[in-house]
């Protein structure tokens, strides 16, 4: 089965072609980061309008890149939610219209299931069951995964997601949006031990997260230095970035190790935009090696939002006979645990 995947949940327009026998044939991605950077975050109306402009040309270029004619496409998978409702509407209506015109089925895919299954696109994919850490700008969750659609939530952030915390900490220091890559780059130049930030909620049982206190601690550190010195030096920013990143990755690693011990599993899948952070990968590998665990993650280009993960996730469900009716139903909020098993 040849599936066209469409991703428009936020600020990236992603398209891909996935063949259930041959694998990923082609993918393309357009990022709106430069446009939103001017505003310090995603502007939903601008995101939706840009998806309208970019989606159809990106679909055609992906077909051309793979040498595929539209008559060869068997089905379409598109991001149904969660995400920005306007952006989701663009992808949903485009996918539904093309599927109707081409006379093929279409299926709405859960955005986070796409992330969760993205490591399956690699040469050495994980095998079910496993624990998944979904860590992005909008989500920080630990999920027990027995199979596709067989998800049990183990823990989640009670406030800010990890990616959101990275963005807010970066903004405090005057760094561009999105903050994660800039924090990571600065952190590599930071001084070890100058600042010691708290590891929130690691001293209590359970697998939930909270990053709002860490965000406040970072703000207090920034303001104290500004009061003392007038402004932050480049080294101040690097040292704060280092302490902040270490606190976040330590917290995630501790909770992931605890989740494996609690479920008696040995495999951890890490997915979402923050999973591209190299320090987080190092910490997780070190922490899980101590309990005989193994970490799986997607290549960096498939950690952020992309069409390949939607095409793959959709192909699994379409191949099992699932498809949607003609109704256009984007879903801004959609619990992962509500998905049917296949």
């Amino acid at each position: 089965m040849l599936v066209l995947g469409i991703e428009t949940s936020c600020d990236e327009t992603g398209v891909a072609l996935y063949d259930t026998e041959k694998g990923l044939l082609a993918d393309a991605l357009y990022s709106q980061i430069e446009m939103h950077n001017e505003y310090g975050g995603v502007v939903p109306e601008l995101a939706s309008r840009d998806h309208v402009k970019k989606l159809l040309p990106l679909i055609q270029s992906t077909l051309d890149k793979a040498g595929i004619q539209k008559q060869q496409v068997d089905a379409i998978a598109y991001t149904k939610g969660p995400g920005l409702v306007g952006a989701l509407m663009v992808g949903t209506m485009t996918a539904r219209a093309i599927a109707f015109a081409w006379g093929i089925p279409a299926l709405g895919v859960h955005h986070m299931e796409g992330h969760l299954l993205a490591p399956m696109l690699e040469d050495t994919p994980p095998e079910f069951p496993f624990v998944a850490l979904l860590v992005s700008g909008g989500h920080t969750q630990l999920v027990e995964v027995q199979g596709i659609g067989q998800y049990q939530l183990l823990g989640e952030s009670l406030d800010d997601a990890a990616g959101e915390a990275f963005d807010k900490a970066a903004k405090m220091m005057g760094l561009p949006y999105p903050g994660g890559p800039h924090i990571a780059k600065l952190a590599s130049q930071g001084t070890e031990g100058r600042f010691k930030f708290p590891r929130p909620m690691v001293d209590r049982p359970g697998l939930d997260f909270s990053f709002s206190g860490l965000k406040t601690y970072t703000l207090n550190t920034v303001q104290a230095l500004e009061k003392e010195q007038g402004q932050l030096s480049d080294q101040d920013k690097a040292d704060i970035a280092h302490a902040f990143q270490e606190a976040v990755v330590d917290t995630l690693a501790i909770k992931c190790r605890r989740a494996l011990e609690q479920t008696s599993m040995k495999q951890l899948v890490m997915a979402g935009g923050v999973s591209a952070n190299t320090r987080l990968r190092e910490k997780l590998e070190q922490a899980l090696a101590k309990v005989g665990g193994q970490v799986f993650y997607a290549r960096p280009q498939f950690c952020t939002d992309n069409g390949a993960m939607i095409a793959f996730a959709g192909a699994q469900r379409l191949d099992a006979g699932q498809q949607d009716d003609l109704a256009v139903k984007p879903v801004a909020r959609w619990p992962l645990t509500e998905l049917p098993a296949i």
Side-chain angles (χ1 to χ4, degrees):
M1 176 181 285
L2 179 57
V3 178
L4 173 66
I6 295 174
E7 156 61 23
T8 63
S9 66
C10 190
D11 59 346
E12 283 153 331
T13 312
V15 177
L17 284 164
Y18 180 82
D19 190 300
T20 52
E21 295 183 359
K22 300 177 182 178
L24 185 65
L25 302 184
D27 69 284
L29 183 71
Y30 178 81
S31 175
Q32 303 173 2
I33 285 178
E34 186 174 340
M35 176 176 65
H36 296 295
N37 182 43
E38 180 181 350
Y39 304 94
V42 177
V43 181
E45 178 66 17
L46 294 181
S48 302
R49 290 177 180 272
D50 206 53
H51 287 309
V52 171
K53 292 190 293 184
K54 300 296 192 304
L55 184 53
L56 287 177
L58 210 59
I59 290 173
Q60 187 59 58
S61 68
T62 304
L63 290 170
D64 294 342
K65 182 179 178 181
I68 296 294
Q69 300 298 313
K70 63 182 182 181
Q71 295 87 351
Q72 296 174 263
V73 178
D74 297 308
I76 298 179
Y78 60 94
T79 302
K80 182 177 179 178
L84 302 176
V85 69
L88 292 169
M89 184 68 76
V90 175
T92 299
M93 294 188 70
T94 301
R96 294 295 338 167
I98 293 175
F100 181 78
W102 292 357
I104 57 177
L107 178 70
V109 173
H110 194 291
H111 178 74
M112 295 311 295
E113 181 172 70
H115 276 304
L116 187 153
L117 297 178
M120 299 286 188
L121 290 163
E122 302 305 315
D123 293 335
T124 55
E127 296 181 358
F128 298 113
F130 54 76
V131 171
L133 171 66
L134 303 178
V135 57
S136 65
H139 299 81
T140 301
Q141 297 178 327
L142 278 166
V143 182
E144 181 178 331
V145 181
Q146 293 292 335
I148 296 177
Q150 300 177 53
Y151 308 131
Q152 178 183 349
L153 183 64
L154 300 174
E156 62 184 336
S157 179
L158 304 178
D159 38 63
D160 292 352
E164 185 181 5
F166 268 104
D167 288 340
K168 290 180 178 179
K171 191 172 184 179
M172 294 171 194
M173 293 186 283
L175 302 177
Y177 171 85
H182 296 284
I183 290 277
K185 183 177 180 180
L186 269 182
S188 65
Q189 305 163 26
T191 305
E192 176 67 36
R194 180 182 174 191
F195 299 111
K196 178 69 174 179
F197 284 13
R199 276 60 173 162
M201 295 184 69
V202 300
D203 58 348
R204 65 186 73 177
L207 297 171
D208 286 330
F209 303 90
S210 173
F211 294 105
S212 63
L214 179 59
K215 178 186 65 179
T216 302
Y217 194 95
T218 305
L219 179 61
N220 290 340
T221 303
V222 169
Q223 291 178 337
L225 286 172
E226 288 177 336
K227 184 177 180 180
E228 179 185 337
Q229 304 170 181
Q231 63 181 12
L232 297 181
S233 68
D234 290 342
Q235 190 59 52
D236 290 334
K237 293 179 181 180
D239 294 344
I240 292 171
H242 178 84
F244 176 83
Q245 178 174 264
E246 288 298 298
V248 173
V249 299
D250 276 350
T251 301
L252 293 172
I254 290 168
K255 296 283 184 163
C256 286
R257 178 176 174 177
R258 189 178 296 175
L260 289 186
E261 292 172 341
Q262 180 176 307
T263 58
S264 299
M265 292 187 185
K266 296 297 183 183
Q267 294 185 111
L268 177 81
V269 165
M270 178 174 59
V274 182
S275 68
N277 184 288
T278 55
R279 183 57 177 157
L280 177 57
R281 294 185 177 195
E282 290 173 3
K283 281 280 187 176
L284 279 175
E285 288 170 358
Q286 292 169 6
L288 300 191
K290 296 176 181 177
V291 293
Q294 188 175 3
V295 187
F296 296 85
Y297 37 74
R299 69 198 77 167
Q301 73 191 79
F302 293 156
C303 290
T304 55
D305 297 348
N306 63 87
M309 69 182 193
I310 301 303
F312 178 81
Q316 310 313 304
R317 293 186 172 276
L318 285 159
D319 201 34
Q322 295 184 18
Q323 66 180 74
D324 288 342
D325 56 28
L326 293 176
V328 176
K329 301 176 182 177
V331 185
R333 297 182 182 276
W334 188 7
L336 188 65
T337 52
E338 290 183 358
L339 294 178
I342 61 172

